[in-house]
Amino acid sequence: MSQQPPPPQFSPDGLYWWDGTRWIPRAGGPAVQVQQPPPPMYYPPPPPPGYGGTSILGQPSPGLRIVLIVALVIEALASGLLSFAFIVAAVSGGQDAFGYILGALCIGVFLVSCLAVLGAILRTPWSRWMAIAAGILITWTCVGAVLGIPILVTAARAPDLAKKPA
């Protein structure tokens, strides 16, 4: 029984054929017609006029500075009340060493949050970093889960914390 040789094998572009050891250029036109894929059925809509090419989701909203100021004022009020309570307890003599340390930390949080409020209102160059520090410090307290995380997020994303160049 004799085997017939296999039919010639052409390259995908049809310009070469395989002789069993190497590719040989084919004389004439391509043996295989290469099909182009059909054009896509869906074309995305053109961008709206004035669109800068950046994602709308990646742009922070301009009102974040006001939200940050409100959250920092609430933090300053809360830490101020705690600082006042610790000062009253220290004056009345009902504090031990741990109470003094805790009171000093609470006064520190109050001072940092007051500086952050002042910096955000005046649009100073250091206001973002002071607000982030205030958010981190308040996050170490029980109130932090409710108040510190929004402060951190808005301080990191607020676009208008610095003064506009003149």
Side-chain angles (χ1 to χ4, degrees):
M1 210 152 109
S2 69
Q3 278 188 328
Q4 289 187 332
Q9 231 181 355
F10 291 100
S11 63
D13 60 2
L15 298 176
Y16 297 91
W17 65 278
W18 183 254
D19 69 352
T21 57
R22 61 190 171 115
W23 289 101
I24 300 175
R26 179 187 158 142
V32 178
Q33 191 68 6
V34 179
Q35 287 186 335
Q36 296 293 332
M41 299 304 274
Y42 168 74
Y43 294 101
Y51 181 68
T54 58
S55 170
I56 293 173
L57 297 176
Q59 298 173 352
S61 63
L64 285 179
R65 180 175 161 261
I66 303 300
V67 172
L68 178 64
I69 291 171
V70 169
L72 286 170
V73 166
I74 292 171
E75 176 186 351
L77 289 174
S79 60
L81 282 172
L82 285 174
S83 298
F84 181 73
F86 279 115
I87 289 171
V88 168
V91 169
S92 67
Q95 290 285 341
D96 57 349
F98 181 71
Y100 286 115
I101 293 171
L102 202 54
L105 288 175
C106 203
I107 291 171
V109 170
F110 174 68
L111 292 176
V112 169
S113 61
C114 286
L115 283 173
V117 169
L118 184 67
I121 289 173
L122 297 177
R123 295 182 182 204
T124 60
W126 45 265
S127 62
R128 181 180 316 275
W129 298 109
M130 194 58 70
I132 289 173
I136 290 171
L137 288 176
I138 199 68
T139 304
W140 289 343
T141 66
C142 295
V143 181
V146 177
L147 195 58
I149 294 171
I151 289 173
L152 288 172
V153 170
T154 55
R157 290 187 48 90
D160 51 356
L161 284 180
K163 287 185 180 176
K164 306 284 188 231

